[in-house]
Amino acid sequence: MTLTEQTTERPEVRGVRRLSRPDPASRGRGGQRFLLVGLSLAGVYSLFPVWWLIVAATKDRTALYQSNGLWFSGWHLWDNLHQVFTYQDGIFLRWTANSFLYAGVGSLGGTLIALATGYGLARFDFPGRNAIFACVVGSFLIPIALLTLPLYLLFSAIGMVDTPWAMLIPCLINPFSVYLAKVYTEATIPYELLEAARIDGAGELRIFLSIVLRMMTTGGATVFLLAFVNTWNAFFLPLTVLRGKENWTLNLGLYNWTGTRLESGIDLTGLVLTGALLSIVPMAIMMVAMRRYWRTGVTLGALK
């Protein structure tokens, strides 16, 4: 036996068991199981109110109060839908159209303004840019409830109270959307690409419409979706600036139906629950529809 072999060999001690190192793969699988369990519990917690709403919308007035709230008791969904669409001469359809007008048009216009503003703050150097961005950041830190009364006084002075403009104009200006657009522009729009387009003779408007907007599909879809959901779920602003029933949103109309029981003794709980179920359908469709634009935006950004 050589000297090297003598020094490398270690005598085994009887009765002593070597401790094996923990397998990193097993620790990773344990973390994945824990994460999966946590996500499953969060999913059940999030879907629980939706399940209760679906079950409640299928019941008549008697079963709504006397049966198990988490399971079906009869099937009266079609009757409830017919009552919702025909009550008060179909005012629910008018409220739905108003919500689509405010959320759709306002969010689309607000998204274009936010993308243009964010692009300008991120890729143009001009005096006062940092001060403007600081004002933008400070603006979205102010709760919208604090701005509702000043907006009402302003719209009242210019005669816009109880008009669609009282809802559309605030939707066009969203500081948080501007912040998201600026951050996304800095991450996806390189200076070299803009300089190359300018050298080729493209104007700033053409660069923005043909290049910047296409590369900001993912950010634009995110900004639009957040603005749509925020406007669709708005309550305090329409409650303040809208007076006539013909201009109300879905949330405001359902709130009025809820208070009808206290004012006139008519129980419209079934209509309110069915209307609430219908009100979440557009947002679910919007979430599914936006997935295609997110994938397209990610692929386009990678190619560029």
Side-chain angles (χ1 to χ4, degrees):
M1 181 180 296
T2 61
L3 181 60
T4 305
E5 294 177 350
Q6 292 179 356
T7 56
T8 56
E9 286 187 355
R10 294 181 180 179
E12 295 184 358
V13 181
R14 295 181 179 179
V16 177
R17 181 179 298 177
R18 292 184 179 181
L19 297 177
S20 59
R21 294 182 179 179
D23 187 7
S26 62
R27 289 188 299 177
R29 287 192 295 269
Q32 292 177 358
R33 295 192 189 98
F34 179 78
L35 180 61
L36 181 60
V37 172
L39 292 176
S40 301
L41 294 177
V44 172
Y45 177 79
S46 301
L47 295 177
F48 182 80
V50 180
W51 171 255
W52 178 86
L53 186 62
I54 294 174
V55 172
T58 62
K59 299 179 179 181
D60 58 1
R61 185 181 304 175
T62 303
L64 187 62
Y65 292 105
Q66 297 181 3
S67 63
N68 184 4
L70 299 179
W71 197 248
F72 301 95
S73 178
W75 187 263
H76 303 276
L77 178 61
W78 309 124
D79 297 335
N80 294 336
L81 291 175
H82 181 265
Q83 294 178 11
V84 167
F85 292 138
T86 58
Y87 186 72
Q88 293 182 344
D89 298 328
I91 192 65
F92 182 85
L93 297 176
R94 179 63 182 269
W95 295 339
T96 304
N98 292 338
S99 295
F100 273 112
L101 173 65
Y102 304 147
V105 177
S107 300
L108 181 60
T111 299
L112 293 177
I113 294 176
L115 293 179
T117 307
Y119 167 68
L121 291 175
R123 289 295 177 258
F124 288 93
D125 189 10
F126 54 90
R129 183 180 66 171
N130 294 332
I132 294 176
F133 182 67
C135 292
V136 170
V137 174
S139 298
F140 72 77
L141 296 178
I142 301 176
I144 187 62
L146 297 180
L147 302 177
T148 302
L149 183 58
L151 287 174
Y152 172 77
L153 296 177
L154 176 62
F155 292 145
S156 179
I158 59 181
M160 286 189 178
V161 173
D162 200 22
T163 63
W165 292 109
M167 284 292 299
L168 290 175
I169 293 178
C171 296
L172 297 177
I173 310 299
N174 192 334
F176 184 67
S177 299
V178 174
Y179 173 78
L180 291 179
K182 179 181 182 300
V183 173
Y184 191 80
T185 300
E186 293 174 344
T188 58
I189 309 297
Y191 283 104
E192 295 77 10
L193 179 63
L194 302 178
E195 292 298 330
R198 295 188 181 102
I199 292 175
D200 291 339
E204 297 298 335
L205 182 60
R206 183 179 179 183
I207 292 175
F208 176 73
L209 296 177
S210 302
I211 300 176
V212 176
L213 284 183
R214 294 185 61 186
M215 296 184 65
M216 295 180 66
T217 305
T218 303
T222 303
V223 170
F224 175 80
L225 182 60
L226 293 177
F228 184 90
V229 173
N230 185 44
T231 306
W232 186 273
N233 294 329
F235 177 76
F236 194 49
L237 179 62
L239 178 64
T240 305
V241 300
L242 300 179
R243 289 288 180 259
K245 290 184 178 181
E246 65 277 2
N247 293 324
W248 284 356
T249 62
L250 272 177
N251 290 338
L252 196 56
L254 295 177
Y255 172 75
N256 177 260
W257 282 358
T258 304
T260 302
R261 181 178 182 180
L262 301 177
E263 296 175 359
S264 59
I266 302 176
D267 189 3
L268 300 178
T269 305
L271 297 183
V272 173
L273 294 176
T274 306
L277 178 62
L278 293 175
S279 67
I280 66 175
V281 173
M283 288 188 291
I285 296 176
M286 189 66 63
M287 289 289 295
V288 176
M290 288 292 102
R291 293 175 57 188
R292 179 170 64 90
Y293 292 97
W294 287 332
R295 290 196 299 266
T296 303
V298 171
T299 305
L300 182 62
L303 292 177
K304 293 296 183 180

